[in-house]
Amino acid sequence: KNEVEQSPQNLTAQEGEFITINCSYSVGISALHWLQQHPGGGIVSLFMLSSGKKKHGRLIATINIQEKHSSLHITASHPRDSAVYICAVLNYGGSQGNLIFGKGTKLSVKP
Amino acid sequence: GAGVSQTPSNKVTEKGKYVELRCDPISGHTALYWYRQSLGQGPEFLIYFQGTGAADDSGLPNDRFFAVRPEGSVSTLKIQRTERGDSAVYLCASSIGLAAYNEQFFGPGTRLTVL
């Protein structure tokens, strides 16, 4: 079993829909990252959080430490949101650099 | 300002050859990370530098892989006797400080193909 599991693996939505991507992890963590990877490979960091909730524009990330679960929400989705969204955790007690990544959720938003 | 850059963007080599992949982090970023991403998979950790020293190299798959960062800025990932299984996108990232508290900025990656 992977230490970081994401669901769904693939997601197709219509423009304007509210989207939720889930991430569950099995290790104690000191931080969780949400990343966006566009076709062509470039990765952009969206959020880094260790508790609670963060919001940036139409993106919202939440984390529940007790349940070892995080969600990424996209409101009023747009075709330009189409990308792979990756959850990654920093293992508590591990080295400061050793991120453990999920396999990603491929999102396609249709106009 | 300039982001993380990686060269070359693509590298095709033959099995058994030696390759070097370069990463230029954002100026002033003390932490530098190397990851490898195979097709359809998430990235996997290879090695992490804090300054000039490798703070954690536990992700390097075997002794054919080696990385250096002699002056605490540019880093080079070196792969000896390449194998077809080494084909992947090699990603570099940097952060201003410890990963637990700081965003990582990723480079565009180097796509390595071993024939």
Side-chain angles (χ1 to χ4, degrees):
Chain A
K1 187 180 188 299
N2 292 332
E3 291 165 301
V4 180
E5 298 271 4
Q6 288 185 236
S7 63
Q9 277 187 292
N10 291 281
L11 180 57
T12 300
Q14 285 299 127
E15 183 173 357
E17 285 185 0
F18 179 84
I19 288 162
T20 296
I21 299 171
N22 297 297
C23 174
S24 296
Y25 50 91
S26 57
V27 296
I29 69 166
S30 52
L32 181 143
H33 295 249
W34 280 104
L35 309 166
Q36 181 191 56
Q37 186 169 32
H38 278 283
I43 292 180
V44 174
S45 177
L46 298 175
F47 294 103
M48 189 190 68
L49 61 166
S50 55
S51 64
K53 175 180 176 178
K54 286 190 176 180
K55 183 177 190 293
H56 184 231
R58 295 181 294 107
L59 301 178
I60 303 165
T62 63
I63 188 168
N64 184 319
I65 297 294
Q66 287 73 30
E67 295 186 2
K68 295 188 174 178
H69 180 269
S70 175
S71 293
L72 177 68
H73 306 286
I74 305 175
T75 63
S77 60
H78 190 276
R80 65 174 175 265
D81 297 326
S82 298
V84 176
Y85 292 84
I86 301 171
C87 171
V89 302
L90 193 64
N91 193 351
Y92 182 81
S95 85
Q96 285 292 311
N98 196 335
L99 280 179
I100 306 169
F101 294 81
K103 292 186 177 181
T105 294
K106 185 174 181 180
L107 172 66
S108 178
V109 182
K110 305 293 186 188
Chain B
V4 178
S5 62
Q6 292 185 245
T7 54
S9 54
N10 280 283
K11 176 71 178 177
V12 180
T13 191
E14 293 179 342
K15 181 175 178 296
K17 299 289 188 183
Y18 169 82
V19 297
E20 288 190 353
L21 311 179
R22 177 186 166 110
C23 173
D24 279 86
I26 293 173
S27 178
H29 281 195
T30 58
L32 184 146
Y33 316 83
W34 282 101
Y35 302 99
R36 178 168 73 171
Q37 187 173 25
S38 300
L39 193 63
Q41 303 294 315
E44 58 175 342
F45 169 79
L46 295 177
I47 185 170
Y48 150 62
F49 288 89
Q50 184 63 37
T52 60
D56 183 352
D57 64 358
S58 62
L60 295 177
N62 52 59
D63 61 7
R64 295 186 297 105
F65 288 74
F66 189 70
V68 295
R69 194 186 185 199
E71 296 177 1
S73 178
V74 170
S75 176
T76 305
L77 178 66
K78 308 180 181 193
I79 311 174
Q80 297 178 317
R81 305 183 304 280
T82 51
E83 299 178 357
R84 292 195 180 89
D86 299 335
S87 296
V89 175
Y90 289 81
L91 296 162
C92 175
S94 70
S95 65
I96 198 163
L98 298 176
Y101 310 111
N102 296 281
E103 178 183 358
Q104 291 191 19
F105 294 83
F106 285 79
T110 293
R111 182 176 298 278
L112 175 67
T113 303
V114 182
L115 301 176

